[in-house]
Structure formats: C-alpha cells, structure tokens
Amino acid sequence: MRHRPGNPTLVPVPPPAPVQLSAHRCLTRQAVDRALALDVDFVEFDVERCADGTLVVFHDSVVEVGGEEVPLASLSLDALRAVVPDLMLYDEVLDALAGRRRAHLDLKFVGSCAEATARAVERLGADNLVVTTLDDDAVREVRGWAEAHGHPDLLVGLSLGRRVTGFPVWRQLRVRASEVWPHLRYRQSRANLVVAHHWLARAGVAGFARRRRLPLLVWTIDTPRSLRYWLRPGRAFLVTTNRPEEALAVRGRRTARMWG
C-alpha cells in the first residue's frame, strides 16, 4: 500500500508482472507443437540462411555432410534437406505460431535481417515478436527498419554471452569485457532489449538493464534453483528455458502465493 499525493487514503500497489517464459530452441515441428500445447508466452527458434537465400529453422552455422562440416550458408535448400530431413522453413514456423503464440526470433545469420524481421512482423504483428542476435550491426539494421516502418517499440536485443572457444586469448578477453561492460555496444547498436546469458546477468548485466530501464531477457534457465531465482516477479522481462513445464510450475506456484 502507498499514499496517493494529496490524499491520505491508502491505495494498493499492484505486484510486479510475472516473468514471461520462452520455450527454447524449438527447431522441429514436434518441438513447436509441444510448446504450443503449453501455456508459454513465447516460442524461441533459430534462423539460418541457405546459399539460395531460403530462411530455415536451424541452430548451427555448419552441418555434417559426408563426414565433414560444411557451412550451412554454402548449401542450397535441397542439399540441406538431404542431410536434415525434418528441416522446417522459416515461413512454416511463422504460420504455426500466427494467432497462437508470440515468437522469439534468434537470427544466426548476418545481412538481410530486416527482411526476415519484416516477414515476421507481417505475419505475427510487431507486438507478438522479440528479435535477438549476437551481431551488433544486425541489431542496428533491424532497429532502423522498425523505426522507419512505424514499429519503434519492436523489441530487438543484442545477445551477450557468445562462445569464445577457439578464439585467441586476447580476443576472448576483449569479447568478455564488452559483455560485462556492454554500454558502448548497446549505445551504438541501439538495442532496446538487454539479452544475457544467466551468469552474465548475475555478474552485472541485470543491473545495467535496470539502470537503463530496458527489459531484460535471460537465457537459458533450466535448473530448479535458477528457475526459482529468475522467475521472481520483477527480476526479468523474459526467461528462456529448455524445461518449460517445470518453469510453468514454478511460475504458477509464485503467482498463487502472490494472490493467495
């Protein structure tokens, strides 16, 4: 309860909104259908681009062909389908989600990101979409497109927490420093959503988001302890998880206690 200015009457203060949930890495029709059967808020999927420009739902930038790793961007759709028979097209997953769930779109490629975003906005609506990417230029491209086409509030996030395995030590340190202290990258990319791996979020990025008054997306939260921590109302805007059933149960118990 709190006092309203100029009025001694106490007015109730509404509790923080529940943290929203995103079912992580829904890359096949089976995984998408599973997420749709749950009461999650978002369905997360990764998008790559084939050599012929076709957008597909796929996580990795390489695929094994004949025992060798081949860049996905060098393969046509037909060649990729020969080794990944259950491959989903980007448009197929948009059609599956339309009118049913919001989409958490994680772009894994660089270039033409605005075009991919435009297709999602056309199919789902800007209010039903979150766009994330590891690439600063891609964030800037999508933000520019969104503002130019009347969607300034479209949430576009710069993801922090990329893998640095195989990088020279100097580059590993440089990448991690830019993630622990992301001020410059966020200002230059113009991201309006903070996206962080959970350990980075705890290391200070959550505080950065609060100070900037930006919504926070934390990935990927799977352990019971982490779910209890991050699903506390007000701690984040959105959490991605590979265990959506457990996350929904944790959130449900918290909501029941708040309103019980």
Side-chain angles (χ1 to χ4, degrees):
M1 306 287 284
R2 67 183 178 189
H3 287 285
R4 180 179 294 166
N7 189 331
T9 305
L10 291 175
V11 295
V13 177
V19 178
Q20 299 189 52
L21 288 172
S22 178
H24 184 241
R25 202 169 290 185
C26 296
L27 304 181
T28 64
R29 186 57 196 244
Q30 181 180 11
V32 171
D33 287 343
R34 174 193 169 212
L36 289 173
L38 301 172
D39 195 24
V40 295
D41 305 285
F42 287 82
V43 174
E44 190 268 354
F45 56 97
D46 306 303
V47 183
E48 287 279 7
R49 186 176 56 192
C50 296
D52 55 13
T54 304
L55 296 178
V56 296
V57 178
F58 202 75
H59 178 266
D60 299 325
S61 61
V62 297
V63 64
E64 187 172 313
V65 179
E68 296 183 0
E69 289 189 342
V70 177
L72 185 145
S74 69
L75 298 173
S76 67
L77 175 62
D78 289 341
L80 181 58
R81 272 189 161 154
V83 292
V84 187
D86 61 348
L87 184 73
M88 283 189 72
L89 297 180
Y90 178 56
D91 288 333
E92 289 176 340
V93 72
L94 294 181
D95 287 343
L97 298 183
R100 302 179 68 184
R101 291 293 185 278
R102 286 175 283 176
H104 173 187
L105 170 63
D106 195 17
L107 301 176
K108 298 294 187 181
F109 61 95
V110 177
S112 301
C113 291
E115 177 186 347
T117 302
R119 285 160 66 175
V121 169
E122 180 182 5
R123 193 70 184 90
L124 306 177
D127 293 339
N128 296 315
L129 182 66
V130 164
V131 181
T132 61
T133 173
L134 288 164
D135 187 78
D136 302 51
D137 291 337
V139 173
R140 191 160 42 245
E141 177 193 348
V142 174
R143 285 280 287 143
W145 175 88
E147 291 181 344
H149 289 80
H151 308 295
D153 296 327
L154 173 66
L155 291 177
V156 186
L158 174 64
S159 296
L160 306 174
R162 74 185 310 152
R163 291 183 180 180
V164 295
T165 305
F167 289 1
V169 173
W170 65 267
R171 189 179 177 192
Q172 292 185 31
L173 294 174
R174 182 177 179 181
V175 169
R176 288 292 178 249
S178 76
E179 294 175 333
V180 175
W181 298 284
H183 308 72
L184 180 61
R185 294 183 64 191
Y186 268 77
R187 184 167 66 249
Q188 292 180 342
S189 69
R190 302 176 56 245
N192 60 354
L193 170 68
V194 177
V195 185
H197 190 275
H198 58 86
W199 71 263
L200 277 169
R202 287 204 187 216
V205 174
F208 166 79
R210 285 194 298 271
R211 291 190 297 274
R212 294 297 181 95
R213 297 184 179 181
L214 293 174
L216 173 67
L217 188 165
V218 185
W219 55 278
T220 301
I221 309 302
D222 291 334
T223 67
R225 183 176 180 180
S226 291
L227 286 169
R228 289 193 297 270
Y229 179 85
W230 285 111
L231 289 176
R232 180 177 178 179
R235 189 147 276 170
F237 155 64
L238 177 63
V239 161
T240 66
T241 179
N242 291 306
R243 300 179 179 274
E245 294 93 346
E246 295 180 31
L248 286 165
V250 171
R251 187 173 71 175
R253 288 193 293 270
R254 282 199 173 278
T255 302
R257 286 199 295 270
M258 288 171 58
W259 296 100

